[in-house]
Amino acid sequence: MYQAPRGTADILPQEQAYWRYVEEKAARICQLYGYERIDFPAFEDAGLFHRSVGEGTDVVDKEMYTFEDRGGSHLALVPEGTASVCRAYVQHGLHNLQQPVKLYYFTSVFRYDRPQAGRYRQHHQFGYEAIGDADPALDAEVIDMAWQFYRSLGLTRLALHLNSIGCKACRPNYLTVLKEYYAKQGGQLCPDCNTRAARNTLRLLDCKKQSCQTIAAAAPKSIDFLCADCAEHFNLLQKYLGLLSIPFALNHRLVRGLDYYARTVFEIQPEEEGGQSTLGGGGRYDGLIEELGGNPTPAIGMATGMERIIINLKKYNISVPPLPGTRVFLAYLGDEARNEIIKLGSMLRQSGIEVIEAFGSKSLKGQMRHANTLGVRYAVIIGDDEVKNGTAVFRDMTSAQQETVSLARLPELLK
Ligand code: HAM
């Protein structure tokens, strides 16, 4: 028997109400903040991610699904959405529009991760990007939008972690000091951190191993090495978050796993959980558009995992509205009635009424049982007598009351 590949999942009908709920809240929040939808391909030139997410990151080095297609192109299933949105921004000359350009997306994301609760090889993200403005008020708005989005879902016990990792001008100084600090730790780092130490020193700060965490806690902080512009940017962001009454914790170990970030980085987590449970995260990536061949263009965005949101909705017993069901079930007895039902089903659907028809040779009792399990509001039953008289039995499934009505009246009754 075939199984869905490890780390992937089917989303069965009984789960869909959660997905629809989250998607609708996401689309609404985007409308409230002036974002427009963009969709991009499920695969891209693999080079796009080497360029943006970065060589030496886990996402590119260890987790990317790459393949050569039959034409010899080197492609990758998208391991995140930001690079694709920026590629589209440059490709379609979106710098010609009023800036910032605000775009949101839902996408499948593919990462060859070690599957565990809340961690999959194919997951789904809702993300949004605001491209073309460096104002820290935009950073505050992007964070506020995430905060209000989670609130609108009913997720309120959240913690916002915030950091600034500086820009091209000031980060090199910080990295020098950080490297010196780590060089002094000798053999105490885990093997992963030892290999990362030279290539991606920032990532040592967010190693999950307990021994490395102790070392990271005492490490120099990026915010102490910010240039004047970055420091002012970060101060203003904190002031604006204050104006918005959004509580945050400065977390100097928050660096994020993707290379394109500059200045603001943030993550939102459920209050009482650890690192694996991050609901969403993002930050500024002021150099990325230029890296991809566009003009120098500041930008910021964020993405959140749909599966992790749904896990939290369930954990906190947040009920979601059921999806609209089917209004009517059509049951029949006999061949003539069968013909009537086929015509009636088509007619009702064309008047905008949702219909499920009985098929096969089930008894009337069996058909009614079927209607009951479907949870339909009404059933329409046609037998030989009804065929002769041009009528149908119209049954309210909740009250179990029924009456005989003319076929012509049915659309009006059902509406
Ligand atoms: P990310 O932090 O890599 O950021 O992913 C965003 C969110 O996707 C995470 O916070 C988490 O909820 C979810 N997620 C990540 N990996 C998995 C996984 N293996 N299984 C389930 N859920 C997962 C980005 O992807 C950036 N593009 C965010 C961004 C947008 N930054 C700027 N703009």
Side-chain angles (χ1 to χ4, degrees):
M1 270 240 289
Y2 292 112
Q3 303 273 323
R6 199 162 124 74
T8 69
D10 301 309
I11 306 165
L12 295 174
Q14 68 260 28
E15 285 292 303
Q16 294 289 343
Y18 283 100
W19 288 77
R20 178 79 67 85
Y21 175 68
V22 180
E23 283 160 7
E24 282 179 2
K25 296 284 185 197
R28 178 63 189 142
I29 209 84
C30 288
Q31 224 177 7
L32 284 172
Y33 287 76
Y35 282 72
E36 292 179 297
R37 178 154 175 163
I38 183 169
D39 289 281
F40 44 79
F43 55 86
E44 296 266 6
D45 191 314
L48 173 66
F49 304 110
H50 287 265
R51 253 299 183 31
S52 54
V53 174
E55 314 269 358
T57 57
D58 285 354
V59 168
V60 164
D61 284 7
K62 299 186 188 163
E63 297 170 3
M64 206 150 71
Y65 281 88
T66 51
F67 62 98
E68 199 173 288
D69 72 6
R70 288 165 197 269
S73 301
H74 188 48
L75 301 168
L77 299 182
V78 299
E80 63 109 43
T82 310
S84 295
V85 174
C86 291
R87 194 260 312 131
Y89 178 94
V90 175
Q91 179 179 339
H92 302 289
L94 302 189
H95 63 277
N96 291 316
L97 304 178
Q98 205 53 249
Q99 308 292 299
V101 172
K102 293 170 144 187
L103 301 168
Y104 79 95
Y105 51 90
F106 295 99
T107 185
S108 278
V109 169
F110 304 89
R111 297 181 184 177
Y112 190 79
D113 241 332
R114 194 156 44 83
Q116 51 192 289
R119 189 168 289 279
Y120 310 98
R121 290 185 174 165
Q122 177 181 8
H123 72 275
H124 299 80
Q125 287 187 1
F126 157 51
Y128 53 93
E129 317 288 343
I131 306 178
D133 207 309
D135 191 335
L138 182 58
D139 302 44
E141 190 190 83
V142 162
I143 293 173
D144 177 52
M145 178 164 157
W147 199 252
Q148 300 310 332
F149 167 59
Y150 294 128
R151 284 179 66 99
S152 74
L153 290 167
L155 298 173
T156 48
R157 289 156 61 192
L158 303 175
L160 166 63
H161 292 252
L162 189 66
N163 196 13
S164 173
I165 55 170
C167 65
K168 269 202 304 226
C170 55
R171 197 174 327 144
N173 296 337
Y174 172 58
L175 286 180
T176 308
V177 176
L178 194 64
K179 273 188 190 143
E180 281 167 14
Y181 170 79
Y182 272 104
K184 280 190 229 138
Q185 306 307 317
Q188 297 183 61
L189 297 174
C190 74
D192 263 358
C193 283
N194 264 322
T195 19
R196 278 194 205 119
R199 280 213 298 175
N200 206 337
T201 324
L202 267 190
R203 290 309 307 279
L204 301 192
L205 292 172
D206 76 351
C207 179
K208 303 288 177 289
K209 303 250 164 40
Q210 186 56 48
S211 53
C212 293
Q213 291 199 356
T214 316
I215 297 171
K221 303 176 179 175
S222 55
I223 52 171
D224 294 333
F225 293 82
L226 297 180
C227 60
D229 284 352
C230 285
E232 161 152 276
H233 192 272
F234 197 46
N235 286 338
L236 282 171
L237 167 59
Q238 292 176 70
K239 178 176 142 191
Y240 297 150
L241 289 176
L243 296 180
L244 291 163
S245 304
I246 297 178
F248 58 88
L250 292 183
N251 178 350
H252 79 273
R253 294 182 38 218
L254 176 64
V255 294
R256 308 271 303 134
L258 315 161
D259 270 0
Y260 48 60
Y261 290 111
R263 293 193 165 173
T264 310
V265 286
F266 65 93
E267 280 184 357
I268 296 176
Q269 298 177 357
E271 238 167 27
E272 71 261 33
E273 294 207 28
Q276 285 297 329
S277 60
T278 304
L279 266 179
R284 266 203 175 274
Y285 46 92
D286 291 347
L288 181 53
I289 296 281
E290 193 180 2
E291 184 68 35
L292 298 179
N295 303 323
T297 309
I300 176 164
M302 113 113 197
T304 177
M306 298 285 288
E307 287 84 354
R308 292 206 190 162
I309 291 175
I310 292 169
I311 288 171
N312 277 277
L313 292 176
K314 290 179 179 170
K315 184 171 158 202
Y316 293 108
N317 291 320
I318 295 168
S319 58
V320 302
L323 295 178
T326 310
R327 233 178 298 185
V328 57
F329 184 87
L330 304 186
Y332 67 95
L333 268 181
D335 290 343
E336 283 302 311
R338 153 96 286 185
N339 297 341
E340 284 305 316
I341 288 289
I342 289 175
K343 288 190 288 178
L344 181 61
S346 169
M347 189 267 273
L348 289 177
R349 290 184 183 115
Q350 285 175 54
S351 342
I353 296 161
E354 310 81 22
V355 175
I356 291 179
E357 286 179 38
F359 295 109
S361 53
K362 261 188 219 146
S363 67
L364 189 57
K365 212 168 150 195
Q367 293 180 49
M368 284 300 108
R369 227 180 287 130
H370 184 177
N372 254 324
T373 42
L374 290 171
V376 293
R377 186 71 217 283
Y378 303 103
V380 169
I381 306 151
I382 300 186
D384 290 341
D385 285 353
E386 286 75 22
V387 173
K388 254 185 260 149
N389 303 331
T391 56
V393 175
F394 180 63
R395 181 180 173 90
D396 183 323
M397 296 298 285
T398 324
S399 65
Q401 288 193 335
Q402 57 185 48
E403 56 177 321
T404 300
V405 301
S406 82
L407 282 179
R409 268 193 68 208
L410 271 176
E412 173 205 328
L413 272 174
L414 284 164
K415 278 189 166 161

